[in-house]
Amino acid sequence: MAIVPEYFGSLVFDDRVMKANLSAEVYQSLRKTIDEGARLNIGVANAVAAAMKDWAVAQGATHFTHWFQPLTGVTAEKHDSFISPSPDGGVIMEFSGKELIQGEPDASSFPSGGLRATFEARGYTAWDPTSYAFIKDRTLCIPTAFCGYNGEALDKKTPLLRSMEALNRQALRILRLFGNTEAKRVLPAVGPEQEYFLVDARMWEKRRDLRFTGRTLFGARPPKGQEMDDHYFGAIKPRVAAYMEDLNDELWKLGILAKTQHNEVAPAQHELAPIYATNNVATDHNQLTMEIMQKVAARHGLVCLLHEKPFVGVNGSGKHNNWSLATDTGLNLLSPGQTPYENAQFLLFLCAVIKAVDDYQDLLRISVATAGNDHRLGANEAPPAVVSMFLGDELAAILGCIEHDAPYTSIDTGKVRLGVDVLPKFRRDTTDRNRTSPFAFTGNKFEFRMVGSADSIACANIMINTAVAESLKVYADRLEGAEDFEAALQVMIRKTIQDHKRIIFNGNGYDDAWTREAVQQRGLMNFRTTPDCVPHLLDEKNVKLLTSHGVLTKAELVSRCEVTLENYCKTIVIEADTMVDMARTEIIPAVQAFALDTARAAAAKKELIPDCPCEYEVELVKKLSALTGQISRRAGDLEEAVLALSAAGDIKTESELIRDTVLPKMGELRLPCDQAETLTARKYWPFPTYGELLFGVR
Ligand code: ADP
Ligand code: MG
């Protein structure tokens, strides 16, 4: 059996393959493009394309595709074969530099939020050479950005790359001020921890809600849920272990650094974390990971559920987005340094993040807003919808001393008065864990925990990168003009702490008292739902931020706002329709059949024992028929609420109507259905129960 180092990355056109298959000159030129963003000339592109094609064909590939990430949130690909006819009636395999660099898929069926009129339906995809090409299903996949004909971004990758560039620009200015002349680039590093559920495929087949919407819309609570806490980090069951093994192999072949796996809190819930990578690569890899997770599950007779809330009453799934900033020379700018001077630089970057999160709480909340994630944020399992930051006691104490110019006492340094040139060496506090905070500092990185499990991590990072770029810009503007650098630095760090300390909260984020304090005393934002927050994308301050750093234009923002609300509406309407359908065609008939058999049993008994009261049967039939009546009425109400949406006129109004009428009516319909489940004999129930789904994989 091959060992991992032998096949790791075997399906990737990575640096090793480039070195081996490109001339020294072409390799150098491509490296310059990858490392420094230099333009690629067509001669080099042709040579790279030819080498890529030869390598891919040798691996059995027949097609190539520009692999991109439209606003649907999933990846898209259109395959073209390499074949080209030769005069002798055969074919040769061809792939040109032009085909590598740019593609022109028909963009008309991808959501654009009105950005692209249909007469300009063409879009183009442009190669992102910083993310390696790879082979999937005998197809050479070229990671690309996807734009409309006039360059307007129609995907998640284009603004992500722009935000990385904005951050790089501003971070380098700060580094130069601290005398760092070596670093050529500063890049965000991201490690997303992916949560998911595994259920048996045969059971999944029988549930239309899971098939159409990815979550259960009905289901009474099972006698056992997650209350025993026996699943978290528990021993992995053989079928799941076999799945994970297979999954890791597939990911490793694709060069994805799958590292950690364990059972999560809920039964049937698991997590996979890779080793962190540069932001755009981490994003590509996470999209691929989600796809491969589902594919491998099918091979094992399983279905991988990526939905944020597949089951009511047990924990949902999220994606912890670990984020830090690193130079191309390998320096983590969020790592406390060895010397006071290094620590001053660390503190400035830390403050930049604090200011960014406080100033753009709304953008962070918007970046994770989906119909699925709304079920999670604010429920007592995931971070609340209020954005706050956790820094740990030691760092919080240091900031407190800086704020008040008070002496700081530590074991290492004793009592010191903190200034820029006298900062304590503090320990990297990695043990201090606050799992309830939406944005936690964990030693040398921040962990943004609000991202939904099914969502792309692109949006969240676009906002983090750009907001931090803005803080750094404000700092650099001031410091570059300062007469006394150190004094100015100190003033700025102190001012940031004073102005933004309201965002720092080290307590329990699940506590209702916190939400009240956050909103009433601290003036923090609390957007509970997607329709509540998404329109704020177009608030003046947010438009100014994103346009001034060249990340998204006003038109692109309007389009994104539209697409996000559209996705929200479509998702919930599909759920509502599925509910009505299941209630009418599966649940009511099942309950009816059981009621009828119960009534028949009573009649038979009466024939045998004429004065038998048949109390049990009579009571049960009464209850069941009351419930079917209720189910039928409520299904009708829900259907009407959905029909009434056509009068909404615009997408914002429609999303609000859905929040205020459709969603509550879905909850109302679910109640009698779940109640009926607990009264109906098992063999009548038309689909697998929560207990069977959650404990069905051994
Ligand atoms: P956990 O949160 O599960 O205890 P860790 O916090 O150690 O685990 O790591 C979680 C994720 O954070 C991993 O994907 C890891 O690679 C990533 N990570 C670790 N260091 C950094 C860093 N400096 N920048 C970005 N991500 C990082
Ligand atoms: Mg973590």
XYZ file of all heavy atoms in Angstrom, residues 570-650:
598
model
N -35.929 31.889 -1.969
C -36.113 30.628 -2.698
C -35.982 29.442 -1.756
O -36.768 28.495 -1.818
C -35.072 30.503 -3.811
C -35.395 31.357 -5.015
C -34.348 31.131 -6.097
C -34.518 32.131 -7.218
N -33.294 32.315 -7.987
N -34.982 29.504 -0.893
C -34.753 28.392 0.036
C -35.987 28.140 0.888
O -36.444 26.999 1.022
C -33.559 28.735 0.966
O -32.435 29.017 0.151
C -33.229 27.587 1.904
N -36.539 29.194 1.444
C -37.657 28.995 2.371
C -38.936 28.626 1.631
O -39.727 27.814 2.117
C -37.818 30.230 3.287
C -36.544 30.351 4.131
C -39.046 30.087 4.186
C -36.489 31.527 5.048
N -39.127 29.163 0.442
C -40.322 28.780 -0.322
C -40.262 27.287 -0.674
O -41.265 26.575 -0.559
C -40.488 29.672 -1.569
C -41.524 29.084 -2.516
C -40.887 31.089 -1.151
N -39.091 26.805 -1.043
C -38.963 25.357 -1.329
C -39.286 24.558 -0.069
O -39.999 23.547 -0.117
C -37.543 25.016 -1.848
C -37.324 25.639 -3.224
C -37.338 23.495 -1.915
C -35.903 25.541 -3.748
N -38.799 25.026 1.065
C -39.089 24.320 2.321
C -40.591 24.303 2.609
O -41.161 23.269 2.980
C -38.347 24.977 3.493
C -36.843 24.772 3.443
C -36.097 25.459 4.579
O -36.704 26.302 5.293
O -34.904 25.167 4.762
N -41.215 25.465 2.429
C -42.647 25.562 2.727
C -43.440 24.645 1.798
O -44.327 23.898 2.244
C -43.114 27.012 2.576
N -43.108 24.665 0.520
C -43.822 23.799 -0.430
C -43.625 22.326 -0.080
O -44.555 21.522 -0.179
C -43.330 24.062 -1.866
C -43.836 25.402 -2.403
O -44.757 25.983 -1.782
O -43.302 25.873 -3.433
N -42.400 21.987 0.305
C -42.121 20.595 0.669
C -42.946 20.192 1.890
O -43.484 19.082 1.962
C -40.610 20.412 0.950
O -39.879 20.873 -0.183
C -40.262 18.961 1.210
N -43.053 21.106 2.838
C -43.838 20.803 4.043
C -45.299 20.536 3.716
O -45.899 19.561 4.176
C -43.788 21.987 5.020
C -42.575 22.016 5.887
S -42.767 23.223 7.210
C -43.164 22.141 8.570
N -45.863 21.425 2.911
C -47.278 21.281 2.559
C -47.481 19.935 1.873
O -48.391 19.161 2.203
C -47.725 22.441 1.633
C -49.124 22.189 1.073
C -47.672 23.766 2.388
N -46.569 19.651 0.956
C -46.658 18.421 0.207
C -46.537 17.186 1.108
O -47.342 16.256 1.033
C -45.521 18.445 -0.825
C -45.650 17.333 -1.824
O -46.773 17.142 -2.311
O -44.640 16.660 -2.100
N -45.570 17.176 1.974
C -45.379 16.016 2.863
C -46.546 15.867 3.828
O -46.991 14.756 4.132
C -44.067 16.143 3.648
C -42.832 15.851 2.809
S -41.299 16.208 3.699
C -41.174 14.777 4.775
N -47.038 17.002 4.322
C -48.144 16.939 5.279
C -49.375 16.333 4.610
O -50.036 15.454 5.167
C -48.457 18.338 5.806
N -49.641 16.771 3.391
C -50.864 16.312 2.720
C -50.743 14.909 2.146
O -51.691 14.134 2.203
C -51.211 17.273 1.582
C -51.823 18.547 2.100
C -52.290 19.392 0.942
N -52.833 20.647 1.445
C -52.823 21.774 0.747
N -52.310 21.798 -0.468
N -53.341 22.867 1.261
N -49.597 14.624 1.550
C -49.532 13.354 0.813
C -48.884 12.225 1.601
O -48.937 11.086 1.190
C -48.786 13.527 -0.531
O -47.428 13.867 -0.244
C -49.421 14.605 -1.383
N -48.253 12.541 2.720
C -47.626 11.468 3.495
C -48.145 11.403 4.924
O -48.542 10.349 5.408
C -46.100 11.653 3.518
C -45.463 11.518 2.145
C -43.944 11.506 2.227
O -43.377 10.484 2.622
O -43.329 12.547 1.921
N -48.127 12.561 5.603
C -48.449 12.516 7.036
C -49.941 12.276 7.273
O -50.321 11.336 7.987
C -47.948 13.795 7.740
C -46.417 13.834 7.650
C -48.410 13.825 9.203
C -45.763 15.063 8.219
N -50.794 13.087 6.653
C -52.238 12.906 6.881
C -52.683 11.492 6.495
O -53.325 10.809 7.305
C -53.073 13.996 6.152
C -52.819 15.356 6.803
C -54.574 13.660 6.193
C -53.562 16.521 6.183
N -52.303 10.993 5.303
C -52.729 9.626 4.963
C -52.238 8.579 5.976
O -52.966 7.641 6.297
C -52.101 9.387 3.589
C -51.910 10.748 3.018
C -51.627 11.646 4.173
N -51.035 8.752 6.499
C -50.511 7.774 7.468
C -51.329 7.817 8.762
O -51.705 6.771 9.313
C -49.042 8.063 7.761
N -51.600 9.023 9.222
C -52.353 9.160 10.477
C -53.785 8.642 10.280
O -54.340 7.945 11.137
C -52.352 10.638 10.954
C -53.117 10.786 12.254
C -50.921 11.138 11.134
N -54.333 8.956 9.107
C -55.672 8.458 8.767
C -55.722 6.935 8.808
O -56.638 6.347 9.366
C -56.033 8.863 7.321
C -56.418 10.270 7.127
C -57.877 10.474 7.477
O -58.249 10.305 8.642
N -58.703 10.800 6.494
N -54.746 6.312 8.168
C -54.724 4.849 8.081
C -54.681 4.251 9.473
O -55.392 3.279 9.777
C -53.523 4.393 7.257
N -53.877 4.835 10.321
C -53.768 4.324 11.681
C -55.086 4.532 12.433
O -55.574 3.645 13.144
C -52.602 5.012 12.409
C -52.422 4.562 13.823
C -52.360 3.200 14.136
C -52.322 5.488 14.861
C -52.188 2.772 15.457
C -52.163 5.065 16.177
C -52.094 3.709 16.471
N -55.687 5.711 12.249
C -56.958 6.006 12.927
C -58.035 5.025 12.456
O -58.811 4.490 13.258
C -57.382 7.448 12.646
N -58.022 4.784 11.156
C -59.022 3.879 10.599
C -58.863 2.462 11.172
O -59.830 1.827 11.596
C -58.890 3.859 9.073
C -59.982 3.109 8.320
C -61.332 3.782 8.533
C -59.652 3.041 6.829
N -57.639 1.981 11.204
C -57.395 0.645 11.754
C -57.762 0.582 13.230
O -58.264 -0.434 13.718
C -55.931 0.233 11.557
C -55.684 -0.225 10.117
O -56.681 -0.337 9.359
O -54.513 -0.459 9.757
N -57.518 1.674 13.924
C -57.869 1.715 15.348
C -59.393 1.650 15.496
O -59.923 0.914 16.345
C -57.329 3.007 15.996
O -55.954 3.123 15.672
C -57.474 2.978 17.505
N -60.097 2.406 14.643
C -61.563 2.397 14.688
C -62.093 1.001 14.353
O -63.015 0.494 14.994
C -62.119 3.429 13.716
N -61.456 0.378 13.372
C -61.867 -0.979 12.995
C -61.646 -1.959 14.147
O -62.469 -2.836 14.394
C -61.068 -1.457 11.785
C -61.579 -0.862 10.496
C -61.097 -1.732 9.319
N -61.417 -1.059 8.078
C -60.507 -0.625 7.204
N -59.216 -0.814 7.428
N -60.888 -0.014 6.105
N -60.541 -1.757 14.827
C -60.251 -2.634 15.970
C -61.341 -2.484 17.027
O -61.810 -3.465 17.623
C -58.884 -2.292 16.561
N -61.766 -1.234 17.243
C -62.821 -0.986 18.236
C -64.119 -1.672 17.802
O -64.799 -2.331 18.603
C -63.035 0.514 18.408
N -64.442 -1.543 16.500
C -65.665 -2.155 15.987
C -65.625 -3.676 16.162
O -66.605 -4.294 16.598
C -65.858 -1.780 14.520
N -64.465 -4.252 15.868
C -64.319 -5.700 16.006
C -64.488 -6.130 17.457
O -65.127 -7.138 17.769
C -62.960 -6.132 15.464
N -63.908 -5.331 18.343
C -64.021 -5.639 19.776
C -65.479 -5.607 20.210
O -65.958 -6.468 20.941
C -63.254 -4.590 20.581
C -61.797 -4.921 20.825
C -61.299 -3.952 21.881
C -59.817 -3.983 22.052
N -59.406 -2.917 22.978
N -66.162 -4.561 19.737
C -67.569 -4.391 20.121
C -68.412 -5.582 19.661
O -69.360 -5.994 20.322
C -68.127 -3.094 19.533
C -67.894 -1.887 20.420
C -69.034 -0.886 20.279
C -68.774 0.389 21.057
N -69.002 0.261 22.474
N -68.056 -6.114 18.526
C -68.787 -7.269 18.026
C -68.614 -8.461 18.962
O -69.533 -9.227 19.225
C -68.267 -7.627 16.632
C -69.376 -8.087 15.707
C -68.913 -8.025 14.276
O -68.972 -6.916 13.677
O -68.454 -9.071 13.794
N -67.386 -8.540 19.475
C -67.043 -9.650 20.356
C -67.605 -9.434 21.755
O -68.176 -10.320 22.382
C -65.513 -9.741 20.411
C -64.872 -11.104 20.558
C -65.272 -12.024 19.414
C -63.342 -10.930 20.573
N -67.395 -8.201 22.238
C -67.839 -7.848 23.595
C -68.734 -6.614 23.465
O -68.241 -5.479 23.493
C -66.635 -7.487 24.485
C -65.486 -8.486 24.247
C -67.015 -7.403 25.970
C -64.143 -8.003 24.708
N -70.032 -6.805 23.307
C -70.917 -5.675 22.972
C -70.815 -4.481 23.928
O -70.929 -3.335 23.495
C -72.307 -6.301 23.013
C -72.078 -7.744 22.724
C -70.759 -8.090 23.308
N -70.581 -4.713 25.222
C -70.542 -3.541 26.104
C -69.116 -3.046 26.360
O -68.855 -2.311 27.302
C -71.269 -3.839 27.430
C -70.663 -5.048 28.124
O -69.802 -5.728 27.485
O -71.028 -5.302 29.289
N -68.172 -3.435 25.497
C -66.776 -2.952 25.662
C -66.732 -1.440 25.433
O -67.208 -0.935 24.405
C -65.875 -3.658 24.658
S -64.206 -3.005 24.648
N -66.196 -0.669 26.360
C -66.186 0.790 26.188
C -65.175 1.259 25.112
O -65.302 2.364 24.587
C -65.802 1.315 27.567
C -65.099 0.191 28.253
C -65.607 -1.093 27.658
N -64.180 0.442 24.811
C -63.151 0.817 23.814
C -62.588 2.221 24.066
O -62.429 3.021 23.126
C -63.716 0.731 22.395
S -64.124 -0.927 21.909
N -62.342 2.491 25.308
C -61.863 3.810 25.711
C -60.596 4.242 24.957
O -60.507 5.340 24.417
C -61.504 3.731 27.189
C -62.161 4.783 28.046
C -61.810 4.491 29.489
O -62.199 3.418 30.002
O -61.103 5.330 30.055
N -59.631 3.317 24.961
C -58.344 3.619 24.321
C -58.542 4.010 22.858
O -58.059 5.052 22.398
C -57.418 2.402 24.455
C -56.265 2.390 23.489
C -55.187 3.270 23.663
C -56.240 1.529 22.391
C -54.123 3.267 22.779
C -55.181 1.524 21.495
C -54.131 2.397 21.689
O -53.085 2.407 20.805
N -59.292 3.171 22.138
C -59.477 3.417 20.716
C -60.238 4.720 20.464
O -59.853 5.522 19.612
C -60.236 2.246 20.055
C -59.451 0.952 19.944
C -59.469 0.121 21.222
O -60.032 0.580 22.237
O -58.910 -0.985 21.215
N -61.293 4.917 21.250
C -62.111 6.109 21.028
C -61.290 7.381 21.255
O -61.277 8.320 20.437
C -63.367 6.081 21.932
C -64.117 7.399 21.843
C -64.271 4.923 21.530
N -60.574 7.402 22.381
C -59.756 8.586 22.706
C -58.711 8.835 21.620
O -58.494 9.964 21.188
C -59.054 8.395 24.061
C -59.953 8.631 25.262
C -60.723 9.949 25.155
O -60.056 10.994 24.946
O -61.972 9.929 25.236
N -58.050 7.747 21.213
C -56.983 7.868 20.221
C -57.534 8.379 18.883
O -56.982 9.316 18.283
C -56.307 6.504 20.035
C -55.068 6.485 19.155
C -53.999 7.436 19.692
C -54.498 5.064 19.081
N -58.643 7.796 18.451
C -59.200 8.216 17.167
C -59.617 9.690 17.235
O -59.391 10.461 16.295
C -60.382 7.302 16.751
C -61.090 7.856 15.515
C -59.877 5.891 16.470
N -60.165 10.089 18.384
C -60.538 11.511 18.550
C -59.312 12.404 18.409
O -59.323 13.402 17.680
C -61.144 11.712 19.949
C -62.643 11.587 19.996
C -63.094 12.170 21.324
C -64.378 11.523 21.795
N -64.573 11.635 23.246
N -58.259 12.045 19.139
C -57.028 12.855 19.103
C -56.451 12.900 17.691
O -56.072 13.964 17.198
C -55.969 12.236 20.029
C -56.042 12.737 21.456
C -54.788 12.303 22.192
C -55.078 12.100 23.673
N -54.145 11.205 24.338
N -56.396 11.737 17.061
C -55.793 11.685 15.725
C -56.602 12.489 14.721
O -56.050 13.195 13.871
C -55.653 10.228 15.250
C -54.633 9.370 16.015
C -54.678 7.921 15.536
C -53.211 9.913 15.856
N -57.927 12.403 14.855
C -58.683 13.146 13.841
C -58.652 14.640 14.124
O -58.665 15.447 13.196
C -60.097 12.587 13.641
O -60.862 12.864 14.755
N -58.528 15.012 15.401
C -58.334 16.449 15.692
C -57.024 16.917 15.068
O -56.935 18.000 14.471
C -58.319 16.686 17.195
N -55.984 16.082 15.189
C -54.678 16.473 14.643
C -54.702 16.545 13.117
O -54.161 17.488 12.536
C -53.591 15.490 15.101
C -53.134 15.676 16.558
C -52.227 14.528 16.995
C -52.412 17.010 16.746
N -55.335 15.567 12.477
C -55.361 15.640 11.008
C -56.116 16.884 10.549
O -55.723 17.535 9.580
C -55.982 14.386 10.346
O -57.162 14.034 11.065
C -55.024 13.227 10.329
N -57.158 17.235 11.290
C -57.894 18.461 10.957
C -56.972 19.669 11.050
O -56.914 20.521 10.149
N -56.226 19.713 12.139
C -55.304 20.833 12.365
C -54.211 20.872 11.282
O -53.887 21.940 10.746
C -54.646 20.617 13.718
C -54.549 21.874 14.534
C -54.065 21.553 15.942
O -53.332 20.583 16.173
N -54.469 22.370 16.889
N -53.673 19.713 10.987
C -52.608 19.642 9.977
C -53.133 20.152 8.636
O -52.500 20.970 7.966
C -52.077 18.191 9.826
C -51.388 17.746 11.121
C -51.116 18.076 8.653
C -51.024 16.269 11.170
N -54.323 19.693 8.288
C -54.884 20.083 7.009
C -55.125 21.596 6.948
O -54.771 22.259 5.971
C -56.180 19.304 6.798
O -56.951 19.934 5.817
N -55.680 22.147 8.031
C -55.915 23.602 8.054
C -54.607 24.382 7.969
O -54.478 25.343 7.213
C -56.637 23.986 9.358
C -58.153 24.020 9.239
C -58.783 24.723 10.442
N -58.289 24.267 11.738
C -58.687 23.145 12.367
N -59.576 22.359 11.797
N -58.192 22.803 13.546
N -53.649 23.950 8.761
C -52.386 24.704 8.793
C -51.600 24.573 7.491
O -50.884 25.495 7.090
C -51.549 24.269 9.994
C -52.216 24.704 11.285
C -51.406 24.398 12.500
N -52.143 24.793 13.704
C -51.659 24.732 14.921
N -50.427 24.300 15.136
N -52.391 25.113 15.950
N -51.725 23.426 6.836
C -51.076 23.277 5.523
C -51.710 24.277 4.554
O -51.017 24.925 3.759
C -51.224 21.854 5.006
N -53.017 24.431 4.665
C -53.718 25.406 3.818
C -53.249 26.818 4.111
O -52.997 27.611 3.193
N -53.108 27.146 5.387
C -52.639 28.492 5.767
C -51.248 28.774 5.206
O -50.957 29.868 4.720
C -52.561 28.615 7.296
C -53.942 28.647 7.931
O -54.930 28.774 7.181
O -54.019 28.535 9.179
N -50.392 27.766 5.323
C -49.010 27.949 4.850
C -49.010 28.152 3.335
O -48.328 29.039 2.804
C -48.159 26.735 5.245
C -46.704 26.732 4.775
C -45.967 27.995 5.209
C -45.962 25.499 5.306
N -49.816 27.349 2.670
C -49.894 27.467 1.219
C -50.348 28.869 0.826
O -49.790 29.494 -0.084
C -50.881 26.428 0.687
C -50.889 26.313 -0.813
C -51.833 25.195 -1.253
O -52.983 25.137 -0.755
O -51.411 24.376 -2.065
N -51.320 29.379 1.547
C -51.806 30.735 1.251
C -50.731 31.786 1.488
O -50.581 32.736 0.721
C -53.004 31.056 2.144
C -54.314 30.891 1.411
C -55.486 31.020 2.364
O -55.479 31.962 3.188
O -56.395 30.162 2.293
N -49.989 31.609 2.582
C -48.920 32.573 2.880
C -47.891 32.595 1.759
O -47.368 33.655 1.401
C -48.252 32.223 4.206
N -47.614 31.430 1.188
C -46.651 31.385 0.084
C -47.240 32.066 -1.152
O -46.572 32.862 -1.820
C -46.237 29.926 -0.242
C -45.399 29.872 -1.512
C -45.457 29.326 0.926
N -48.520 31.790 -1.416
C -49.156 32.415 -2.587
C -49.181 33.938 -2.459
O -49.003 34.656 -3.436
C -50.580 31.881 -2.760
C -50.668 30.441 -3.293
C -52.109 29.943 -3.287
C -50.078 30.360 -4.710
N -49.363 34.401 -1.234
C -49.452 35.850 -1.010
C -48.142 36.565 -1.311
O -48.103 37.789 -1.479
C -49.878 36.123 0.433
N -47.042 35.816 -1.401
C -45.747 36.444 -1.668
C -45.702 37.115 -3.031
O -44.936 38.048 -3.248
C -44.621 35.403 -1.601
C -44.373 34.756 -0.237
C -43.333 33.665 -0.369
C -43.935 35.800 0.776
N -46.533 36.624 -3.947
C -46.476 37.183 -5.304
C -46.865 38.662 -5.315
O -46.527 39.386 -6.238
C -47.382 36.383 -6.235
O -48.700 36.433 -5.742
N -47.539 39.110 -4.246
C -47.927 40.522 -4.196
C -46.815 41.410 -3.636
O -46.950 42.635 -3.584
C -49.184 40.678 -3.338
N -45.698 40.805 -3.224
C -44.659 41.568 -2.518
C -44.053 42.681 -3.362
O -43.776 43.767 -2.868
C -43.559 40.630 -2.037
N -43.860 42.430 -4.646
C -43.326 43.494 -5.506
C -41.808 43.491 -5.583
O -41.251 43.427 -6.660
N -41.123 43.581 -4.465
C -39.660 43.558 -4.543
C -39.107 42.532 -3.563
O -39.802 42.069 -2.660
C -39.070 44.937 -4.262
C -39.388 45.385 -2.853
O -38.626 45.041 -1.936
O -40.432 46.053 -2.665
